[in-house]
Amino acid sequence: MNKKQKKMLGRIIISAILIVVLEQLPIAGMLRFGLFLFPYLIIGYDILIKAFNGIRNKQVFDENFLMAVATIGAMMVGIFGEGDYTEAIAVMLFYQVGELFQSYAVGKSRKNISELMDIRPDYANVERNGKLERVDPDEVGIGSIIIVQPGEKVPLDGVIIEGESSLNTSALTGESLPREAVIGDEIISGCINMTSVLKIQTTKEFGESTVSKILDLVENASSRKSKSEDFISKFAKVYTPLVCYSALALAIIPPLVRMFGMGLSPDWADWIYRALTFLVISCPCALVISIPLSFFAGIGGASKEGILVKGSNYMETLSKTKYVVFDKTGTLTQGVFEVNGIHHNEMEDSKLIEYAALVESASSHPISKSLQKAYGKEIDRSRVTETQEISGNGITAKVDGIEVAAGNAKLMNRLNIKYIECHHVGTIIHMAINGSYAGHIIISDIIKPHSAEAIRSLKKAGIEKAVMLTGDAKAVAESVAKSLGMDEVYSELLPGDKVSKVEELLNIKTEKAKLAFVGDGINDAPVLSRADIGIAMGAMGSDAAIEAADVVLMDDNPIKIAKAIKISRKCIRIVYQNIVFAIGIKFIVLVLGALGIANMWLAIFADVGVTIIAVLNAIRVLFVKKL
């Protein structure tokens, strides 16, 4: 418990003890009223102040106003001997108990988010004149050299230039296993250096670093409201004034009817007591507190698993997902391409690889990197001229003045070069030298270990269709799709084709079913934005992912997609349970209160009891079952 919660608990205990003691004393009249006023003010002074401020600010109708009117009214009825001061104080007492439960529950769910907030670095170590100086991360520019010692947070994104160490990334990914980092590795802010000193050259300013973007994402998540939250806000604005006027009518109209219409005693005290009971029952705390808390707990529980949901509206959309569309490379596969076959006419393997690596040297595509890796030597770009990249086909260039073309079958057809079909599964890079076919290179991507299990988990979670989109050749795409158990696969797609295919799938699905697109976030921003909900995975360090996606998975394990959907469905299920339970109980007890059957104690249960049950139900979202 924090200091504020402990103070509230103390007020609750003191008030409860005073009620018990005062009930035993043989006192009556104004003395009794004066003594009972002490525990009433101890437990309820803040509610009375909030109600007064609400009236002063012309925002009258809220739960503080309802509590103040109901309890002050009950105390006044007690003066005339028609009520019990204990009931009035008990209303305040149990209301504050409900508030304490709610505060504790929010703290519990906030803890998961605050653990994530702990990734914010306090300082950066910069070496000056042979000594380490601690400076604000905001003061460190791009290209600066920083030192990160064991146990310290990495304050900025950069590249390791000296040292090897293990990194704790659990605050970002939810994974407890450390990651090994060596010279040349990119390293992102928010990780904790565990074993050895690292010297890092920064690649981003603090404001653009991964940690800053993640913190901004989490801090703004609560501003994006779901339809359920909007409904509750609108409901409370109409509901609260309505019940106030209804209570007023209940206090005035029946006595007047009895007096003028039936000639009977009006019995004002009885009807006022009923009206006050009606006010206590009608307080919308259970809905106003538990619904936002459910979403807050859902976002907190997801963040603990390394799943960042940008708002409760996305949580709601995610829960309705029935179609999941995957980009292949970097999402279902590791995006690590390796040359595993070279077929040529009369040219040596090494020479064909050399030409391929040089002609592809200007590209940052993983296939280009795999060719450069297979070449194994430093690339001399001065040997390459007249480079032309043809989207969806390949690259042509001159290497040492020799015309070289590297690409797929479309490029060979475009250049009117007769090529040899390759029946091996993989990405085929056809090569042409001076207009003649020289052979082809086979490159394969590696499927992630958990991809097949992730698809099975999605099917188990009720996903109707899993679809894979890729720019790879049909044979490669179908081989990967079959091994993973995909329902549909679309191959040989250009980047623009992926958007068109997602739009096509959006048009054929039912309106209630939502479509999620899962990509690596680097070049999938248009598709992530077009889908009902965009999920970027393996997003550590990817600005595009954090900006474009609605849900960000901080590591590259695809099984977390099913976990994210399960968390969202559990969250929405609890929201609906609380709505039905709270409205149902209140309606029943409101009718009983209007009929004079329900007393103030039953009203307390209808308000505080229902609130506590709803809050306890809401915090169940925090507990995520292991898949």
Side-chain angles (χ1 to χ4, degrees):
M1 279 190 177
N2 58 33
K3 188 176 180 180
K4 186 177 179 181
Q5 290 168 344
K6 288 178 180 177
K7 184 179 177 182
M8 175 56 70
L9 182 60
R11 286 170 58 194
I12 290 169
I13 293 171
I14 291 169
S15 297
I17 292 171
L18 284 175
I19 291 173
V20 173
V21 172
L22 291 174
E23 277 292 328
Q24 309 306 315
L25 298 178
I27 51 177
M30 292 306 295
L31 177 60
R32 180 178 174 83
F33 170 76
L35 291 174
F36 271 91
L37 196 59
F38 280 106
Y40 175 76
L41 292 175
I42 289 170
I43 196 62
Y45 73 87
D46 53 336
I47 303 297
L48 299 175
I49 292 170
K50 288 175 185 176
F52 174 76
N53 289 335
I55 295 169
R56 190 176 60 181
N57 296 327
K58 297 181 181 178
Q59 295 177 338
V60 178
F61 299 109
D62 62 10
E63 63 270 21
N64 296 305
F65 177 77
L66 293 178
M67 286 293 107
V69 171
T71 55
I72 290 172
M75 292 289 282
M76 293 300 102
V77 171
I79 292 175
F80 299 103
E82 297 292 340
D84 189 347
Y85 301 128
T86 306
E87 289 184 348
I89 300 169
V91 169
M92 278 292 192
L93 182 68
F94 286 106
Y95 176 78
Q96 296 286 34
V97 169
E99 289 288 293
L100 181 62
F101 264 85
Q102 182 257 342
S103 174
Y104 178 77
V106 168
K108 186 86 173 171
S109 55
R110 193 182 295 276
K111 184 181 177 183
N112 290 334
I113 294 177
S114 65
E115 285 174 359
L116 184 65
M117 293 299 187
D118 283 343
I119 64 177
R120 186 191 299 276
D122 300 315
Y123 60 87
N125 294 319
V126 178
E127 192 171 1
R128 291 173 181 166
N129 300 322
K131 294 183 179 180
L132 288 183
E133 288 186 19
R134 289 187 175 184
V135 300
D136 192 304
D138 281 319
E139 298 175 7
V140 181
I142 297 173
S144 301
I145 306 299
I146 59 173
I147 309 296
V148 183
Q149 301 182 86
E152 291 183 331
K153 298 184 187 78
V154 177
L156 297 116
D157 296 8
V159 177
I160 298 174
I161 59 173
E162 187 178 309
E164 297 180 1
S165 185
S166 297
L167 302 176
N168 180 351
T169 64
S170 60
L172 295 170
T173 67
E175 297 295 331
S176 57
L177 292 176
R179 296 189 178 193
E180 301 303 317
V182 298
I183 294 174
D185 284 354
E186 291 186 0
I187 187 170
I188 69 166
S189 48
C191 300
I192 297 175
N193 183 20
M194 294 174 65
T195 53
S196 304
V197 176
L198 292 176
K199 187 175 285 189
I200 299 168
Q201 185 172 32
T202 61
T203 55
K204 293 178 185 175
E205 293 179 345
F206 181 69
E208 294 299 316
S209 66
T210 302
V211 68
S212 289
K213 289 184 178 292
I214 291 170
L215 292 171
D216 182 64
L217 183 158
V218 175
E219 286 165 356
N220 291 312
S222 60
S223 65
R224 299 178 176 93
K225 301 296 183 184
S226 67
K227 289 181 180 178
S228 300
E229 285 179 289
D230 286 337
F231 162 74
I232 294 303
S233 298
K234 292 174 183 176
F235 175 81
K237 286 180 181 179
V238 176
Y239 170 82
T240 309
L242 182 63
V243 296
C244 287
Y245 293 131
S246 299
L248 184 62
L250 187 63
I252 296 174
I253 295 174
L256 291 177
V257 170
R258 283 174 60 88
M259 186 167 60
F260 295 110
M262 302 171 65
L264 300 174
S265 171
D267 200 4
W268 289 101
D270 177 54
W271 288 101
I272 291 173
Y273 181 80
R274 290 192 194 188
L276 296 173
T277 303
F278 190 89
L279 281 179
V280 174
I281 297 166
S282 64
C283 188
C285 302
L287 290 173
V288 173
I289 292 171
S290 70
I291 305 309
L293 176 61
S294 299
F295 283 109
F296 190 70
I299 291 171
S303 69
K304 187 179 180 181
E305 298 294 320
I307 302 165
L308 306 184
V309 184
K310 287 189 175 181
S312 53
N313 55 332
Y314 301 122
M315 184 74 79
E316 197 164 40
T317 303
L318 186 62
S319 70
K320 300 174 183 176
T321 300
K322 292 296 181 182
Y323 286 54
V324 180
V325 181
F326 292 88
D327 177 58
K328 181 182 80 71
T329 306
T331 303
L332 296 169
T333 62
Q334 293 182 7
V336 178
F337 291 83
E338 294 180 352
V339 173
N340 59 18
I342 303 172
H343 300 164
H344 54 84
N345 293 338
E346 298 177 357
M347 187 175 289
E348 293 181 0
D349 289 1
S350 59
K351 197 64 179 174
L352 194 67
I353 283 289
E354 181 180 354
Y355 278 129
L358 285 165
V359 79
E360 291 270 6
S361 62
S363 173
S364 60
H365 193 279
I367 288 177
S368 304
K369 291 182 178 179
S370 68
L371 290 169
Q372 293 170 40
K373 183 180 178 182
Y375 176 50
K377 299 177 183 178
E378 188 174 346
I379 299 291
D380 182 1
R381 293 194 179 184
S382 65
R383 296 172 60 188
V384 186
T385 58
E386 299 181 27
T387 300
Q388 182 183 4
E389 184 169 353
I390 304 169
S391 181
N393 287 248
I395 297 178
T396 62
K398 283 189 176 180
V399 178
D400 299 331
I402 298 170
E403 292 183 356
V404 179
N408 55 25
K410 292 178 185 177
L411 181 63
M412 297 297 105
N413 290 329
R414 186 187 186 99
L415 300 176
N416 295 316
I417 295 172
K418 189 176 181 180
Y419 62 93
I420 299 172
E421 290 279 2
C422 181
H423 300 291
H424 289 77
V425 174
T427 299
I428 311 301
I429 306 297
H430 292 285
M431 298 290 299
I433 310 294
N434 281 332
S436 298
Y437 189 67
H440 52 255
I441 300 168
I442 304 164
I443 298 174
S444 297
D445 194 0
I446 303 168
I447 296 174
K448 290 180 180 177
H450 298 293
S451 290
E453 185 184 354
I455 302 302
R456 288 194 297 271
S457 296
L458 285 171
K459 296 290 183 66
K460 193 176 178 182
I463 296 301
E464 294 175 3
K465 190 174 288 187
V467 182
M468 188 179 82
L469 308 181
T470 179
D472 287 352
K474 185 176 181 181
V476 176
E478 289 182 347
S479 174
V480 173
K482 185 178 180 181
S483 65
L484 295 178
M486 307 296 292
D487 296 305
E488 293 180 11
V489 56
Y490 299 94
S491 56
E492 300 179 7
L493 299 175
L494 299 175
D497 296 334
K498 292 182 181 180
V499 177
S500 300
K501 185 56 66 176
V502 166
E503 287 179 341
E504 184 182 315
L505 291 167
L506 284 167
N507 290 330
I508 64 172
K509 70 177 182 61
T510 60
E511 188 177 346
K512 288 185 178 180
K514 299 299 181 182
L515 182 145
F517 178 81
V518 186
D520 59 14
I522 298 170
N523 55 6
D524 294 318
V527 204
L528 286 166
S529 300
R530 182 64 190 90
D532 290 322
I533 189 154
I535 303 174
M537 60 179 299
M540 290 178 67
S542 172
D543 293 344
I546 294 173
E547 294 295 333
D550 306 313
V551 177
V552 180
L553 310 184
M554 291 309 296
D555 67 5
D556 59 359
N557 189 349
I559 205 164
K560 284 196 174 179
I561 301 164
K563 181 170 282 188
I565 291 173
K566 287 184 177 181
I567 290 171
S568 69
R569 288 180 179 170
K570 182 177 181 180
C571 177
I572 298 302
R573 188 166 60 249
I574 286 173
V575 165
Y576 290 154
Q577 286 172 0
N578 283 346
I579 290 174
V580 173
F581 174 69
I583 293 178
I585 294 294
K586 281 193 179 293
F587 178 77
I588 293 169
V589 183
L590 277 172
V591 173
L592 295 176
L595 296 174
I597 299 172
N599 60 14
M600 198 67 78
W601 292 104
L602 189 55
I604 291 169
F605 167 74
D607 176 34
V608 181
V610 170
T611 299
I612 291 174
I613 293 170
V615 165
L616 292 174
N617 193 36
I619 62 174
R620 289 197 300 118
V621 187
L622 286 169
F623 304 104
V624 181
K625 289 182 180 179
K626 298 293 180 184
L627 293 178

